[in-house]
Amino acid sequence: MSADDSVQDSNSANSQAEEKVDWRKRKAELKENRKQWKKAKLIKKLEKQKQKEAAESTKPEESQTERGRAYTVSVALPGSVLDNAQSPELRTYLAGQIARACVVFSIDEIVVFDEQGEDVKSVEGVFTGVGKKGQACIQLARILQYMECPQYLRKWFFPMHKDLQYAGLLNPLDSPHHMRIDEESDYREGIVLNKPPKQGKGSLVNCGMRKEVRIDKQLQSGLRVTVQLSKTQNQESKLYKGVVVAPHVPRTRDGLYWGYTVRLASCLSSVFTESPYKEGYDLTIGTSERGSNVDQATLSPFKHLLVVFGGLQGLEASVDSDQNLDVTDPGVLFDLYLNTCPSQGSRTIRTEEAILISMAGLRQKIAAAFPGVSSNS
C-alpha cells in the first residue's frame, strides 16, 4: 500500500466523520425549529381564542336583539260580534275562532271595545255577569283570557263561570307558552304558591312541571309570573331554580311568541287613548271595504301597530256612536284605511274571517318593514 493511498483513506474517513457530525447537528436544529413552530402555533391559537371570547363578551346585547322582536301588533274589535251568534255554544265557539286567528298571526294584544255607546264600567280585567245578548264585550274578553292562559294554570285563575261553560269544546291555541309537563324550555308561565318562603329565599312557583320552582324574589301568592329557568339544574334537588322576568322578555330577547293580553275599551276612541304603551300606537290601520287596496300599501317600520276591525255595520257605526269623536269618516282616524279583501264575493265578511284575511295580507308587509327580525315562535 502506497503513501498516497493511505492519505486518501484518511481524508475520506475525516470527510465521513464531518458529514456525520453535520447530520446530527441538522437533526437537532430541525427538532428545535419544530418545537418553536409548535410553540408559535399554540400562542397564535390562544390569542385567537381570547379575541373570540372578548368579542362575544362585548356583544351579548346585540346578539339578543337580533334574535328578539321589539315591535308589537295589536288587534281591536267590537264585542258585539258575539251578538250575531244564535246560541251560547256558538257564541263561545266564535270567541275561540277569534283567539285562534290572533294566535296564528302572533298578535300581542287584543282590545275589545263597545261600539253601542253603553259604557263598559270595568276596564281593569275584573269582569262580572253575562246575559244571553247583553255584556258581549265582557264575555268575549273572559273567553279570550281563558284561552290564552296555559292549561295547568286555569284552575287557579278561572273558577266555574257561566261564560265558560262551553269553553271545553274549543280548539286549543297550542301557543309556545302552553307547555307539556316534561317539555323543556327556557321560559315558563307560573303561579306564585301560598307557601311561606324560607329566610333569605325566594317564593315557590308552580310552572306546570314535576317540581316546583324557587324564584329569586318573594312575591305575593296568586300572582301569575313569567319565569326564566336556570340553564343548569340539580336533578337531585327537590326544586328547580329560576328568575322572574317581564312577560315581554321571551319575545324581545328570543323572538318567542308568548301569547296576548286582553284589554277592554268603553268606546272606539278609548282604544287609542288608553294604550298600555307609553308612546301609544305609532302606526294604526283601519279595515273597511271602502278603504284603499291593501296590495298597494306599504308599511314603514313601527314600534306598536294597531289593526282595528268593525262589527256588523262596519267601523262607521262605531264612529257614529262614539260621543268623543267629532268625525263622520272613520278613515281620518287611521294612518292607513285599507280594504284587505278587494273583489269580495260575499256582501259581508264576518269579523273572525276579516282577522284571518287581513293579517294574512299584512304579514308579508310587516316582515318587509323588519327584514332582520326572525321569529322563533
Side-chain angles (χ1 to χ4, degrees):
M1 186 177 180
S2 65
D4 291 337
D5 292 337
S6 63
V7 169
Q8 286 178 358
D9 290 341
S10 64
N11 286 339
S12 63
N14 288 335
S15 64
Q16 286 176 2
E18 286 176 3
E19 285 176 10
K20 195 173 183 180
V21 170
D22 289 345
W23 178 79
R24 283 178 180 172
K25 190 177 179 181
R26 202 178 308 119
K27 190 175 180 182
E29 285 175 357
L30 287 170
K31 193 174 182 181
E32 183 65 27
N33 288 340
R34 198 178 294 111
K35 194 175 180 181
Q36 293 294 334
W37 177 75
K38 282 185 178 180
K39 189 176 179 181
K41 191 178 179 182
L42 184 62
I43 291 171
K44 192 175 180 181
K45 188 177 180 181
L46 287 170
E47 286 178 351
K48 199 172 181 180
Q49 191 174 348
K50 281 183 181 178
Q51 288 175 356
K52 189 178 179 181
E53 288 175 356
E56 287 177 354
S57 63
T58 54
K59 294 186 177 180
E61 295 179 359
E62 289 182 16
S63 62
Q64 287 173 358
T65 52
E66 285 175 5
R67 291 175 61 194
R69 172 168 68 89
Y71 67 87
T72 66
V73 180
S74 300
V75 158
L77 70 156
S80 60
V81 295
L82 290 194
D83 291 338
N84 202 32
Q86 291 83 9
S87 68
E89 294 92 335
L90 289 174
R91 285 162 69 88
T92 303
Y93 192 75
L94 175 56
Q97 284 183 297
I98 292 168
R100 283 280 306 170
C102 290
V103 166
V104 165
F105 291 102
S106 301
I107 301 302
D108 301 293
E109 180 195 28
I110 304 176
V111 188
V112 181
F113 65 91
D114 188 351
E115 67 171 355
Q116 307 299 331
E118 301 168 3
D119 189 18
V120 176
K121 300 299 181 185
S122 170
V123 293
E124 302 299 328
V126 182
F127 312 131
T128 56
V130 63
K132 276 192 174 180
K133 286 280 186 181
Q135 295 187 306
C137 294
I138 295 171
Q139 185 179 16
L140 175 58
R142 181 180 280 110
I143 296 172
L144 291 175
Q145 283 191 328
Y146 176 84
M147 292 286 289
E148 187 276 337
C149 184
Q151 289 90 330
Y152 56 86
L153 295 179
R154 287 175 181 170
K155 62 182 178 182
W156 278 290
F157 293 110
F158 294 93
M160 295 288 288
H161 195 282
K162 194 175 180 181
D163 285 359
L164 304 173
Q165 62 180 325
Y166 298 108
L169 302 173
L170 300 178
N171 298 317
L173 298 185
D174 205 21
S175 54
H177 66 301
H178 288 200
M179 301 285 177
R180 280 73 170 174
I181 189 167
D182 292 319
E183 191 173 349
E184 292 186 5
S185 173
D186 290 340
Y187 304 95
R188 271 188 176 259
E189 291 293 292
I191 181 172
V192 180
L193 297 173
N194 189 17
K195 295 183 179 180
K198 295 179 181 178
Q199 187 69 28
K201 301 269 188 175
S203 300
L204 293 176
V205 177
N206 183 339
C207 290
M209 297 188 289
R210 298 188 186 279
K211 300 178 186 177
E212 294 168 353
V213 181
R214 174 85 68 189
I215 56 174
D216 57 327
K217 298 176 181 176
Q218 292 189 6
L219 299 176
Q220 182 183 345
S221 62
L223 285 178
R224 177 175 165 178
V225 291
T226 304
V227 177
Q228 182 176 11
L229 298 169
S230 301
K231 295 285 185 185
T232 56
Q233 300 283 356
N234 182 4
Q235 298 301 326
E236 296 179 1
S237 174
K238 292 182 179 180
L239 301 170
Y240 288 128
K241 287 185 179 180
V243 296
V244 174
V245 295
H248 65 76
V249 167
R251 169 180 58 84
T252 55
R253 187 177 293 171
D254 293 303
L256 291 170
Y257 176 60
W258 211 245
Y260 55 77
T261 59
V262 181
R263 175 165 67 92
L264 274 172
S266 57
C267 54
L268 179 59
S269 56
S270 297
V271 173
F272 302 93
T273 58
E274 296 172 1
S275 169
Y277 308 111
K278 189 176 180 182
E279 299 170 0
Y281 305 103
D282 51 348
L283 181 60
T284 56
I285 297 176
T287 58
S288 171
E289 60 182 5
R290 297 173 182 82
S292 56
N293 194 324
V294 69
D295 298 334
Q296 276 76 54
T298 55
L299 304 187
S300 56
F302 55 85
K303 289 183 180 178
H304 305 293
L305 167 66
L306 172 67
V307 184
V308 183
F309 298 92
L312 300 176
Q313 283 83 40
L315 282 171
E316 290 77 11
S318 303
V319 170
D320 291 341
S321 62
D322 193 333
Q323 298 179 355
N324 299 321
L325 296 176
D326 196 18
V327 296
T328 53
D329 179 15
V332 301
L333 300 174
F334 304 97
D335 299 316
L336 295 171
Y337 198 52
L338 302 177
N339 179 4
T340 55
C341 188
S343 306
Q344 64 191 60
S346 172
R347 291 191 187 91
T348 56
I349 294 179
R350 297 170 67 90
T351 304
E352 66 273 19
E353 297 167 342
I355 295 173
L356 288 169
I357 296 167
S358 302
M359 297 314 302
L362 293 171
R363 185 184 63 83
Q364 286 189 330
K365 299 181 184 298
I366 294 172
F370 300 94
V373 176
S374 62
S375 176
N376 299 327
S377 58

